[in-house]
Amino acid sequence: MASLQASSNFLLSSSSSSKQIYAALSVPKLPSIGFSVPKVPTKGLSLELNTRDVFTNKIPFEKNLVTSPFVQETSSVSMATLQLYAILESIADRVEMHNNVGQQRDNWNTLLLNSINMTTLTAATMAGFTATGVHGDSVLGLKLASTLLFSAATGMLVLMNKIQPSQLVEEQRNATRLFKQLQGQIETLVAIGSPSKEDVKDAMEKVLALDKAYPLPLLGVMLEKFPESLEPAVWWPKKTRSQKTNKDKHLKGKVESNGWTEELEMEMREVVEVIKRKDSEDYEKLGNKALKMNKVLAASGPLLTGIAAVGSAFMDSSNGPWAAIMAAVAGALASAVNTLEHGGQVGMVFEMYRNNAGFFKHVQESIESTLNESDLDKRENGELFEMKVALQLGRSLSQLRDVARKSSYSGIEGSPIDEFASKLF
C-alpha cells in the first residue's frame, strides 16, 4: 500500500514538471522597430527640371549651323556624287537585266533549233516511209501528219529567222560588257576626284545612248537583222559642241602643254589612218559577207520546208513515189540549212563584226575629237591618252609608235601598209 502511494506521488510530480518545461519553452514576443523615410524635396526637383528646359532651349539646332559658304559648296559636290551613285544603281540593274535576257534568248536559240530540226526530220521520215510503197489507210495518216509537221516547221522557222536569237544573244552580251565598262568609269571618277554636274550629265547621256543601241524589247524597237549593208554599232552619245582647230597654235616638238607634242599628234593621226584603211574596212567587208550568207540561209530554210509540205500533201499512190521523195529530200536539206544558220550562229557572227566595226569607229572619233580641241589644256593628258589608245588596240607604246611610223613611210612611198592597227581582233 505504501509502494502504491509512492508511485502515485511520482507520476503527479512528473506531470507537473512536464507542464513547467512546456511553459519554459514558449518564445517571447519581439519588440517592434520603427523606420523613418526621408521626404523628397519636390520643390528643388521642379526647379532643376525647369533649369534644364531653359538650357535646352538656349542650344541652337544643328540644322541652323549649315549656313556657311563652305558647307553649301560641299553639299553641291555631294549632290553630284549622290546622283552618280543613283546612276550606278541603275547601271547595275541594267547589267542584270541584259544578262538575264541574254540567257533567256540563248535558251530560245537552243530550244527552237532542236524543236524545228526534230519536227522536220520526223516529217521527212514519214515521207520516206511513204516512198517505200506503203498503201491503204497508212498513206493517208502519214500524208496528213507529215504535211502538218512541215507546215509547223515552216512557220516556226520563219519566226526564228526573223528575230535571229543568236544575234539577240550577242547584242545582250555586248550591252552587258559596255554597261560594266561604264560602271567602272563612273566608279573611278567618284574615287579619284570630286565629280561635277557635267560628269553627271555625261554619264546620263552614255546610259541613254547604250539603251538606244541595245534595246531590250523585241516589238517596235528591235534592231534590223537584215539591213542592206553593215552599219557600225554606235553606243556613245554624239558630241554637239563644235570644236575648231586653232591654226595659229603649233607644237614645236617639245611638250607644249598637258603632255602633248607635235610627234604625238602626228602619231595619233597616223593611227587613225591605219584604222580607216585596214581595220574598219576589213571588218566591214567581213560583216557584209556574213550578212549575205545569213540572208541566203534565212530564205532557204523556210523555202525548203514549204516545198516539203507541198510534196507531202501530194503523196498518193496515183502520183508515184516522187512526191514523197521530194518531201523527204527537201525536209532533210531544210534541217541541214537550219543547223548551219542557227547552230553555226551566223547572225551572231554578223553582230560581232558590226560591234567590232563600231569599236574602231569609236576609237577613231575619240582620237579625232581630241585632236580637234584647240586648247591643249582642255584635252586629256597626252601621255595618258596615248597609253589608253595603245591598250585599246592591244599594243605597247613602242608598238603603237612603230605602226604610226610604218603608216607614215607607206604614205610617202605610196604603198599600202600591211599591218593592222589592232592586235586584239
Side-chain angles (χ1 to χ4, degrees):
M1 189 69 183
S3 62
L4 181 61
Q5 184 177 2
S7 62
S8 175
N9 293 332
F10 176 76
L11 289 173
L12 290 172
S13 64
S14 297
S15 175
S16 62
S17 64
S18 63
K19 288 182 180 180
Q20 290 175 357
I21 293 171
Y22 177 78
L25 291 178
S26 62
V27 179
K29 294 184 179 180
L30 295 176
S32 59
I33 301 174
F35 292 95
S36 61
V37 179
K39 295 182 178 180
V40 178
T42 56
K43 182 177 181 182
L45 180 61
S46 61
L47 180 61
E48 183 179 357
L49 291 176
N50 293 332
T51 305
R52 290 181 181 179
D53 292 339
V54 172
F55 181 71
T56 305
N57 293 330
K58 294 298 183 181
I59 298 177
F61 290 103
E62 185 179 357
K63 63 181 182 180
N64 295 330
L65 295 177
V66 187
T67 55
S68 63
F70 175 76
V71 176
Q72 290 179 354
E73 182 180 358
T74 306
S75 177
S76 64
V77 173
S78 62
M79 177 55 65
T81 305
L82 290 175
Q83 289 175 342
L84 287 178
Y85 276 121
I87 294 174
L88 283 175
E89 292 178 0
S90 177
I91 291 175
D93 185 52
R94 281 169 167 80
V95 169
E96 189 68 21
M97 284 193 297
H98 282 282
N99 187 28
N100 293 339
V101 171
Q103 293 178 1
Q104 179 193 34
R105 291 173 182 177
D106 190 22
N107 292 334
W108 286 0
N109 187 57
T110 303
L111 295 174
L112 285 173
L113 174 63
N114 294 335
S115 300
I116 293 173
N117 279 347
M118 289 299 297
T119 302
T120 305
L121 291 176
T122 301
T125 304
M126 292 180 178
F129 276 128
T130 307
T132 58
V134 179
H135 300 285
D137 296 335
S138 299
V139 177
L140 180 60
L142 293 174
K143 173 182 176 181
L144 292 177
S146 61
T147 302
L148 290 175
L149 287 177
F150 277 129
S151 300
T154 303
M156 288 190 293
L157 196 53
V158 169
L159 176 62
M160 189 176 184
N161 291 343
K162 177 66 176 177
I163 64 176
Q164 291 290 314
S166 64
Q167 188 172 346
L168 292 174
V169 174
E170 184 65 17
E171 291 175 8
Q172 305 311 314
R173 289 196 195 104
N174 285 292
T176 302
R177 179 182 64 85
L178 292 171
F179 271 117
K180 287 183 178 180
Q181 185 183 59
L182 178 59
Q183 184 178 13
Q185 293 173 357
I186 296 176
E187 289 175 351
T188 303
L189 177 64
V190 173
I192 65 175
S194 299
S196 62
K197 293 182 179 179
E198 292 296 327
D199 297 326
V200 175
K201 181 180 178 182
D202 184 61
M204 284 286 295
E205 290 177 352
K206 289 181 179 179
V207 171
L208 296 178
L210 277 171
D211 288 339
K212 183 179 179 181
Y214 300 101
L216 284 170
L218 292 178
L219 300 177
V221 294
M222 184 179 67
L223 298 179
E224 178 62 37
K225 297 301 181 288
F226 300 101
E228 295 182 0
S229 61
L230 183 141
E231 292 292 335
V234 178
W235 60 81
W236 59 93
K238 295 294 183 180
K239 294 186 177 181
T240 57
R241 187 182 65 176
S242 61
Q243 296 177 337
K244 297 181 180 180
T245 304
N246 189 357
K247 297 182 180 180
D248 296 334
K249 191 171 186 177
H250 300 285
L251 294 172
K252 303 299 182 183
K254 60 181 181 179
V255 176
E256 179 73 15
S257 178
N258 202 17
W260 285 94
T261 63
E262 185 180 10
E263 288 80 2
L264 182 55
E265 284 196 353
M266 294 300 299
E267 175 189 340
M268 292 294 106
R269 289 191 174 93
E270 292 299 333
V271 170
V272 169
E273 291 300 322
V274 175
I275 291 175
K276 286 181 179 179
R277 295 199 304 262
K278 296 295 294 183
D279 299 80
S280 296
E281 184 177 351
D282 185 68
Y283 274 99
E284 287 179 5
K285 288 181 180 179
L286 292 174
N288 285 322
K289 289 180 180 180
L291 177 61
K292 290 179 181 179
M293 181 179 179
N294 199 24
K295 286 181 178 180
V296 172
L297 293 175
S300 300
L303 179 63
L304 289 171
T305 53
I307 292 173
V310 172
S312 61
F314 286 97
M315 288 189 306
D316 198 353
S317 58
S318 60
N319 294 327
W322 295 108
I325 292 175
M326 181 182 68
V329 171
L333 288 176
S335 179
V337 168
N338 188 35
T339 302
L340 178 61
E341 180 185 6
H342 298 288
Q345 298 187 350
V346 181
M348 181 274 292
V349 174
F350 167 72
E351 182 64 22
M352 181 184 67
Y353 287 144
R354 192 178 77 90
N355 282 280
N356 290 343
F359 167 76
F360 290 118
K361 184 177 181 180
H362 182 241
V363 175
Q364 175 186 335
E365 289 187 3
S366 175
I367 296 174
E368 290 177 346
S369 63
T370 302
L371 295 179
N372 287 337
E373 177 60 59
S374 59
D375 191 353
L376 300 180
D377 294 330
K378 292 183 179 180
R379 294 183 186 179
E380 188 175 4
N381 182 270
E383 297 177 358
L384 178 61
F385 185 77
E386 182 186 19
M387 184 188 71
K388 286 184 177 180
V389 172
L391 290 174
Q392 285 178 334
L393 299 177
R395 292 181 176 273
S396 64
L397 293 176
S398 59
Q399 290 175 345
L400 187 67
R401 292 163 187 166
D402 290 340
V403 170
R405 192 178 302 110
K406 290 178 183 178
S407 175
S408 178
Y409 290 157
S410 65
I412 295 174
E413 297 175 358
S415 59
I417 186 173
D418 296 330
E419 192 171 0
F420 290 91
S422 175
K423 280 190 172 183
L424 287 179
F425 43 79

